[in-house]
Structures are given as structure tokens and as C-alpha cells.
């Protein structure tokens, strides 16, 4: 004991390991982390084959890391200590001005971009109807004034221009989303100089990779005007406007910055005739159970599903005896965008190729569409391996 007293740090460290090991054996295992917004690794099943291949060891290490006692508190402590040291990034997320977070995106998947653009050209060559293609720039490209110095991400505008130049189709409209998003940012700052606040608006979330409902409205207005229609005035929807506070998005889930200010989600309880997702009737446009969870954005259209059909009587351009339809092929950015389209079409079909339960050709064989809107955010377009399904 006298010898041990000479090494107090060693004793404390050993005691720490023992206490943590005992506590680790007593605590219940969590399946999901609200703080990180992801499912946690569970105890792997032991087999001789997995042990020999070293897969069991790797899986068990992930399990220990995810289930370590007090994990959320250790993550917070790490965030505090790094902030004290002046670190402005964590896990690929950089801290910008006015509490905005941005993703480090210094390289992109050029092979993926080339392949996906090729798939779209194959689709366009075999489809005779009207198609609109829109790539949405991510937040760092539009909110340049808020990006910290030294963050040199790729120029999305240059890449988008290249992609547009490679697409061919007689009935194709290439929709430039930059002016709309820049206008959304400018208009938001008219109400609030910083572009956010209790009553202010913002085009992109501070803590998440998506555009906001406000930003999506500007994208919607840009789209329907390209079709020769006018958007529903946002002021006319104020009676349907609702808010959900305390939203911590995907960027926060990666960075875990302890001083993060949460976002507020705006949404509109627009009345519709019916919402059908994968053949199942839903009572409304939003999954309200998600408002009480960390991933609140998943409330829009109940998340990402193969085929969603919305029927409405809101259409400002409705013609007796005729049914106008639009098909939106999309990623999650469109989930807060789609409800606005009910004011310009009688039926809105929404397809997420990641979960599409049929071939695109089968869907197009069943219905005629006034327009097909293919809309992705740039980062997802570059990396999505499901866009190939559009050509079948």
C-alpha cells in the first residue's frame, strides 16, 4: 500500500477502470441514442467463423464504444474541452458564424456524378414527356458570409453547371436554384439581420443539412414559375402555419457542440383530400409522433418512402373534368417542399428511388404526368447509388 501511495494517478486510473467496468455490466443496453440520432451497436453474436475472420472483434469493439457507460456525458465533456482549446470543428462539421454549422466537403464523388448523369440521360432518351431537373446547392455554398475562414470546400455552382451541360433532352428544363436560394437568404435578412431568431426566417437550418420550409418555398416558387404558373402566396398560408421548437439536426448529431442553439421547424397544416404512402392511407401530411423525437425533420411526409400520392382540391389551376399530376423524384430535401405543390396540381406523386417497390417504367405506364421533377441536393446527387433505378 505504501508503494501504491507513491503513484496516486495510477491508483485513480485503476479505480476509474474498475468502477466503469462494474457500472458497464449493470446498466441496460440502449438501442437508440437520442443525442446522436442513430441506432447503437448491440452485442454481436459469437461464432468461430466471425472470430477467425476478426469480424467479431471489430463488431465487439463497436459495441463497447457505443454502450460505454455515461457515453452522452463523455461526448459533452469532449465538446466542452475542445471548445476551450479553440477547436472549431468536430467529426467533419465546422462551426461557422451566428451558430451555423457546415460540412467539410473538399472533394466530391466525380465518378458518382458522371454515372448518375449518365443514368438520367438514359431515362431522358426514352421518355417523351416534360421533365424538370433541379440540383439544390447545400448551405455552405449559399451562406458564404457565415462560413469560417479557411474552409475551402468545392465550388458546387461550377459542378452543377457542368452537370447541366451534360444533360440532353428535348423536353428537359434545367432549373437554376441558386437565384431562388440567394433571394430566400436576402428576404430572411430583411426581417432579421442575422437571418434567424424567434420570429425571423432562415433558408437553411443551423444544425441540419436540409433547407428549411422557408427555403423550400422559394424553391417551389422557382419551380412552378418555370412551368408558367404562380405560387400560392406565403401570406395566404399563415393560418396553417405551425412551429416545432428544439430541433437538433444531423450536423449537431455529428459534432455534439455543447453550446449549440436549436432550430425551429416551420410547417403548414395544409388541408388535402388524401395522403397514401405505399398503399396505406394517412390522416395528414405529417407524422406528428416525430415532433416529440430528436429527428423532427422525419415528420415531413412520414420520412422517405417509395411512393407517396397526395390528392387535393387546393389546385388554383384546376380544370373541370381534367386531372393534373406532377411526379417528384427526390431525396429528403423535397419532403418539406412537396406540400406547396398541392396548390398547383390536383395530384402529387412522390418517389424516393431508395425505396421504390416497382420499376419506374411501371409507374409511368399507369399514369400520365404534366411534369416530372427530378430534384436532389448536390451532395446527395453525387453519392446516391440508387439513381440508376430511374432508367428501368
Amino acid at each position: 500500500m505504501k508503494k501504491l501511495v507513491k503513484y496516486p494517478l495510477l491508483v485513480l486510473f485503476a479505480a476509474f477502470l474498475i468502477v466503469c467496468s462494474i457500472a458497464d455490466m449493470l446498466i441496460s443496453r440502449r438501442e437508440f441514442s437520442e443525442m446522436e440520432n442513430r441506432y447503437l451497436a448491440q452485442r454481436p453474436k459469437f461464432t468461430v467463423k466471425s472470430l477467425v475472420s476478426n469480424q467479431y472483434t471489430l463488431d465487439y469493439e463497436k459495441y463497447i464504444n457505443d454502450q460505454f457507460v455515461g457515453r452522452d456525458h463523455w461526448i459533452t465533456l469532449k465538446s466542452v474541452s475542445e471548445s476551450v482549446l479553440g477547436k472549431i470543428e468536430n467529426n467533419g462539421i465546422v462551426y461557422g458564424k451566428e451558430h451555423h454549422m457546415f460540412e467539410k466537403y473538399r472533394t466530391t464523388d466525380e465518378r458518382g456524378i458522371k454515372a448518375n448523369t449518365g443514368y438520367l440521360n438514359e431515362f431522358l432518351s426514352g421518355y417523351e414527356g416534360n421533365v424538370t431537373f433541379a440540383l439544390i446547392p447545400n448551405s455552405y455554398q449559399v451562406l458564404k458570409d457565415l462560413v469560417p475562414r479557411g474552409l475551402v470546400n468545392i465550388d458546387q455552382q461550377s459542378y452543377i453547371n457542368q452537370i447541366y451541360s451534360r444533360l440532353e433532352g428535348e423536353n428537359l428544363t434545367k432549373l437554376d436554384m441558386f437565384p431562388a436560394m440567394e433571394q430566400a437568404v436576402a428576404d430572411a435578412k430583411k426581417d432579421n439581420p442575422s437571418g434567424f431568431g424567434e420570429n425571423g426566417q432562415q433558408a437553411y437550418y443551423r444544425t441540419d443539412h436540409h433547407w428549411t420550409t422557408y427555403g423550400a418555398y422559394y424553391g417551389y416558387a422557382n419551380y412552378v414559375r418555370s412551368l408558367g404558373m404562380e405560387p400560392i402566396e406565403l401570406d395566404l398560408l399563415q393560418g396553417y402555419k405551425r412551429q416545432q421548437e428544439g430541433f437538433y439536426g444531423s450536423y449537431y448529431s455529428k459534432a455534439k457542440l455543447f453550446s449549440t442553439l436549436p432550430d425551429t421547424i416551420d410547417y403548414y397544416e395544409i388541408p388535402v383530400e388524401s395522403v397514401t404512402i405505399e398503399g396505406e392511407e394517412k390522416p395528414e401530411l405529417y407524422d406528428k409522433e416525430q415532433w416529440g423525437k430528436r429527428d423532427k425533420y422525419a415528420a415531413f411526409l412520414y420520412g422517405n418512402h417509395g411512393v407517396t400520392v397526395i390528392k387535393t382540391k387546393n389546385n388554383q389551376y384546376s380544370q373541370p373534368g381534367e386531372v393534373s399530376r406532377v411526379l417528384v423524384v427526390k431525396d429528403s430535401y423535397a419532403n418539406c417542399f412537396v406540400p406547396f405543390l398541392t396548390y398547383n396540381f390536383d395530384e402529387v406523386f412522390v418517389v424516393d428511388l431508395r425505396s421504390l417497390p416497382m420499376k419506374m417504367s411501371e409507374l409511368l405506364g399507369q399514369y400520365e404526368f404534366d411534369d416530372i421533377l427530378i430534384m436532389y441536393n448536390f451532395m446527395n446527387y453525387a453519392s446516391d447509388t440508387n439513381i440508376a433505378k430511374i432508367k428501368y
Side-chain angles (χ1 to χ4, degrees):
M1 290 298 296
K2 289 182 179 180
K3 291 182 178 180
L4 288 176
V5 172
K6 296 180 180 179
Y7 305 100
L9 292 179
L10 179 61
V11 173
L12 289 173
F13 184 67
F16 171 78
L17 290 179
I18 293 171
V19 171
C20 285
S21 298
I22 295 173
D24 193 50
M25 290 186 289
L26 297 176
I27 64 170
S28 59
R29 301 306 180 192
R30 298 184 299 166
E31 291 187 2
F32 186 81
S33 170
E34 285 289 337
M35 181 178 188
E36 298 176 72
N37 190 29
R38 69 179 181 90
Y39 287 94
L40 301 176
Q42 301 299 303
R43 185 189 296 273
K45 184 178 180 180
F46 175 81
T47 64
V48 174
K49 182 179 179 181
S50 63
L51 180 64
V52 172
S53 66
N54 199 40
Q55 188 60 47
Y56 179 80
T57 305
L58 295 175
D59 290 344
Y60 200 86
E61 183 178 356
K62 292 178 183 178
Y63 162 70
I64 292 297
N65 288 337
D66 277 7
Q67 300 293 347
F68 192 82
V69 62
R71 177 181 171 84
D72 290 351
H73 299 294
W74 292 115
I75 290 173
T76 301
L77 180 61
K78 177 176 180 288
S79 174
V80 172
S81 62
E82 288 178 343
S83 296
V84 170
L85 295 173
K87 188 176 180 180
I88 63 167
E89 76 167 88
N90 187 28
N91 202 21
I93 303 301
V94 179
Y95 312 141
K97 300 176 183 177
E98 299 173 4
H99 300 281
H100 277 267
M101 297 178 178
F102 301 98
E103 190 166 350
K104 287 179 69 175
Y105 196 67
R106 294 180 176 176
T107 60
T108 189
D109 186 350
E110 304 215 13
R111 287 186 178 181
I113 290 174
K114 183 178 180 180
N116 287 337
T117 305
Y119 299 142
L120 291 183
N121 273 326
E122 287 188 58
F123 170 74
L124 293 168
S125 66
Y127 182 72
E128 297 179 354
N130 297 321
V131 178
T132 301
F133 180 65
L135 283 179
I136 306 163
N138 298 98
S139 60
Y140 77 78
Q141 186 70 48
V142 179
L143 303 176
K144 294 180 179 179
D145 293 343
L146 303 180
V147 175
R149 291 182 180 180
L151 179 60
V152 184
N153 281 342
I154 69 164
D155 184 355
Q156 291 191 11
Q157 187 158 27
S158 175
Y159 273 94
I160 290 175
N161 290 341
Q162 291 176 35
I163 293 167
Y164 282 11
S165 69
R166 296 171 185 167
L167 289 171
E168 302 174 353
E170 293 183 1
N171 299 321
L172 173 65
T173 299
K174 305 168 188 178
L175 191 60
D176 184 1
M177 299 296 279
F178 277 93
M181 298 315 298
E182 290 166 353
Q183 188 63 51
V185 172
D187 289 349
K189 290 184 177 180
K190 291 179 183 178
D191 297 330
N192 189 312
S194 63
F196 69 92
E198 183 178 354
N199 298 312
Q201 298 286 0
Q202 57 191 50
Y204 294 88
Y205 291 111
R206 295 188 298 262
T207 70
D208 193 68
H209 67 285
H210 292 101
W211 59 4
T212 62
T213 307
Y214 182 77
Y217 174 81
Y218 279 76
Y220 149 76
N222 187 31
Y223 170 57
V224 296
R225 283 174 179 147
S226 74
L227 300 177
M229 295 186 283
E230 285 299 314
I232 184 71
E233 292 291 334
L234 202 54
D235 290 342
L236 298 178
L237 300 180
Q238 290 306 304
Y240 301 132
K241 185 177 180 180
R242 305 289 185 269
Q243 289 187 321
Q244 285 292 326
E245 299 179 349
F247 173 47
Y248 292 89
S250 58
Y251 287 165
Y252 170 79
S253 295
K254 291 180 179 179
K256 319 296 186 308
L257 181 62
F258 77 100
S259 59
T260 299
L261 293 183
D263 283 300
T264 296
I265 291 182
D266 292 342
Y267 67 103
Y268 295 85
E269 290 191 337
I270 296 170
V272 294
E273 188 175 351
S274 67
V275 179
T276 306
I277 299 177
E278 310 288 19
E280 180 184 350
E281 291 280 343
K282 298 293 184 180
E284 55 186 319
L285 290 166
Y286 307 98
D287 181 3
K288 291 188 174 180
E289 290 185 3
Q290 286 295 140
W291 296 138
K293 300 179 181 179
R294 172 61 61 83
D295 188 11
K296 299 181 189 299
Y297 189 86
F300 290 102
L301 298 188
Y302 295 78
N304 300 310
H305 298 277
V307 181
T308 300
V309 181
I310 304 167
K311 296 182 179 181
T312 175
K313 294 182 179 179
N314 302 331
N315 184 11
Q316 306 170 100
Y317 294 87
S318 184
Q319 297 294 323
E322 297 182 9
V323 178
S324 62
R325 296 188 186 92
V326 63
L327 170 60
V328 182
V329 181
K330 58 81 184 181
D331 60 17
S332 58
Y333 260 60
N335 293 0
C336 62
F337 163 98
V338 164
F340 297 122
L341 293 176
T342 61
Y343 287 95
N344 296 85
F345 297 93
D346 298 312
E347 297 181 1
V348 182
F349 283 63
V350 186
V351 163
D352 193 312
L353 294 172
R354 291 170 290 190
S355 308
L356 185 62
M358 64 181 75
K359 293 181 179 180
M360 272 291 292
S361 58
E362 294 177 6
L363 181 63
L364 297 178
Q366 294 177 33
Y367 303 94
E368 292 184 1
F369 296 98
D370 295 76
D371 191 57
I372 295 179
L373 170 62
I374 303 171
M375 185 172 73
Y376 286 81
N377 78 82
F378 175 80
M379 288 186 185
N380 196 46
Y381 178 78
S383 61
D384 195 329
T385 59
N386 295 281
I387 294 178
K389 296 178 183 179
I390 198 170
K391 65 179 183 176
Y392 298 111

